[in-house]
Amino acid sequence: MKQRLPSLRLAASSLALMLALAACGDREPAASGAIETLAARPWAETLQVDGEINAAASTMLAVPGSGWSQRVLVSMVAEGSAVRQGDVVARFDAPQSRMELSQAELELLRKTLAEAGNAANAAVERSTLAGERAKVEDDLGLSRRYADVDLTIFARNTILDALADVGFLGAKRSYLDWKSGQAQTRAAAQDAVLHSQRDSIEQAAGRNRDSLAALDLVAPHDGVFLLVPRWDGAKPEIGASQSAGQVFGMLPDLRQLVAHFSVAEGQAFGLKAGLPVQVRLAGTGTALALTVTRVGSTAGTVSAESPVKYSDFDAAIPNETALKLGLKPGQALRGSVQLVARPAALTVPNLALVQDGSGYAVYTEEQGKPVRHKIELGQRGPVRSELKSGLAAGARVVLLPPAAVKS
């Protein structure tokens, strides 16, 4: 009997626990143990971001030339090098244009010889026709002399032959005149064709000469030379083929530098122009006190591999500071933005917020039960948000709302 008493007591305890759990299932869920009493407290929030120095404006550098002619990169200055206005940033070669120019010059020589040959042939033909016409004129004069004498002196056959010669020689003279005109027309047409072909070849040669004259990429102003990667992320290399007009690099203008930052869209609450930002240069420990000057209007992805959207913002760096410290685009830095600095404010943690349509709601603990309240928020922050209406000081806000537990 004494051995069965512990077993009976254990069974009774289990039964009591099961009845208690069953009874709890019929009541409202109890409030979570994480509770915060709503009260006006100092509110300060900062945003830690990584970024780099960029130029406020940059000049895009394209491969010299026109018409998408092919270029081969022969040499270039090292990426990140400081260049002066007028310096040669990169040199190219154009083997195809050089070959086409050689072919065009050979064709021009051929057309020149053809024109000279055509002119010589035309001169020979004109001389031949002129000689034949002179002979016809002489024969025609002689025949007319016989045709105009007294018919009684010569025999009838002789007279008839002379008259026939006059008609034939007159027709032959007309034919030679026509043939001379045709020769001139034909020579002029051949000259026109040769001139047209010569002009076309000359234009092609001129384009190739211009292409070979534009092989140096010159810096339009002072700056730091940076390469621009292609669509596949590859940067130009020595010996690689380029097309004229293709974007090759960029030359940031060093006269105005900015500290450029990117931050995940969900952390950009309260970010606006005019906020102070403390910047520390990576590797040097140099600190700068700047002000946010621009905030991106839209957020976007930075790569196809990640769907996370980022917002960007800039803080302008005074020119005298950039010159004094020798700052260059591409230098890494770390920034701390003072988003909120208020001596007292009613705020609620963002983790206590529950989406309520287009607005928000929170749960408070009242007599051990969670009660839902629709609220109106003011300024948002990465960790907390300002409470404008819906609750009064002293309310016990549930940090882990039931809606969050159920979801």
Side-chain angles (χ1 to χ4, degrees), residues 55-62 77 80-87 89 217-228 247-255 329:
S58 298
T59 301
M60 304 307 294
L61 302 178
V77 300
S81 301
V83 296
R84 296 290 185 182
Q85 182 179 4
D87 289 350
V89 176
L217 180 59
V218 179
H221 56 76
D222 296 352
V224 175
F225 173 64
L226 298 175
L227 292 172
V228 174
V247 175
F248 173 76
M250 60 187 298
L251 196 64
D253 192 348
L254 300 181
R255 291 171 293 184

Side-chain angles (χ1 to χ4, degrees), residues 64-65 71 94 97-98 101 206-216:
R71 299 281 194 269
S97 297
R98 203 178 301 279
L101 177 60
R207 287 194 299 268
N208 288 310
R209 291 191 188 98
D210 294 340
S211 177
L212 292 174
L215 296 178
D216 291 344

Side-chain angles (χ1 to χ4, degrees), residues 46-63:
T46 59
L47 177 64
Q48 303 295 328
V49 287
D50 293 318
E52 64 178 10
I53 295 178
N54 282 352
S58 298
T59 301
M60 304 307 294
L61 302 178
V63 177

Side-chain angles (χ1 to χ4, degrees), residues 118-133:
N118 185 56
N121 292 335
V124 170
E125 189 172 8
R126 284 196 301 270
S127 299
T128 301
L129 292 174
E132 292 182 0
R133 194 177 190 285

Side-chain angles (χ1 to χ4, degrees), residues 36 43 45 266-267 269 347-355 360-362 375 377 379-386 397-399 401 404:
E36 178 183 295
W43 184 25
E45 291 201 34
Q267 299 178 350
F269 287 123
T347 61
V348 293
N350 289 341
L351 61 88
L353 298 176
V354 177
Q355 192 75 36
Y360 293 92
V362 296
I375 60 173
L377 297 178
Q379 183 177 354
R380 300 295 304 274
V383 179
R384 305 181 70 87
S385 297
E386 180 186 13
V397 178
V398 179
L399 299 184

Side-chain angles (χ1 to χ4, degrees), residues 37-238:
T37 302
L38 186 62
R41 298 183 180 88
W43 184 25
E45 291 201 34
T46 59
L47 177 64
Q48 303 295 328
V49 287
D50 293 318
E52 64 178 10
I53 295 178
N54 282 352
S58 298
T59 301
M60 304 307 294
L61 302 178
V63 177
S66 60
W68 296 99
S69 57
Q70 293 300 307
R71 299 281 194 269
V72 175
L73 181 60
V74 176
S75 64
M76 64 177 174
V77 300
E79 185 176 13
S81 301
V83 296
R84 296 290 185 182
Q85 182 179 4
D87 289 350
V88 176
V89 176
R91 282 191 168 91
F92 298 84
D93 191 16
Q96 182 177 357
S97 297
R98 203 178 301 279
M99 178 191 66
E100 291 177 354
L101 177 60
S102 178
Q103 292 177 345
E105 290 177 342
L106 178 60
E107 288 297 323
L108 284 175
L109 181 59
R110 289 177 177 174
K111 296 303 177 185
T112 301
L113 294 176
E115 288 177 350
N118 185 56
N121 292 335
V124 170
E125 189 172 8
R126 284 196 301 270
S127 299
T128 301
L129 292 174
E132 292 182 0
R133 194 177 190 285
K135 184 178 183 304
V136 168
E137 287 289 345
D138 291 342
D139 293 343
L140 184 60
L142 182 63
S143 297
R144 283 176 175 172
R145 186 180 63 180
Y146 283 104
D148 294 337
V149 298
D150 187 5
L151 299 178
T152 60
I153 300 175
F154 300 97
R156 184 175 180 85
N157 291 337
T158 303
I159 296 173
L160 291 176
D161 290 341
L163 293 176
D165 287 343
V166 170
F168 170 75
L169 292 175
K172 187 175 182 180
R173 183 179 63 177
S174 299
Y175 168 74
L176 290 175
D177 291 340
W178 171 84
K179 190 174 181 180
S180 178
Q182 290 295 311
Q184 293 178 358
T185 302
R186 184 169 59 254
Q190 291 176 349
D191 283 340
V193 171
L194 290 174
H195 280 303
S196 176
Q197 294 175 347
R198 181 185 178 87
D199 291 341
S200 178
I201 297 172
E202 187 65 50
Q203 291 178 1
R207 287 194 299 268
N208 288 310
R209 291 191 188 98
D210 294 340
S211 177
L212 292 174
L215 296 178
D216 291 344
L217 180 59
V218 179
H221 56 76
D222 296 352
V224 175
F225 173 64
L226 298 175
L227 292 172
V228 174
R230 300 183 308 183
W231 61 270
D232 57 357
K235 293 184 177 181
E237 297 179 352
I238 301 297

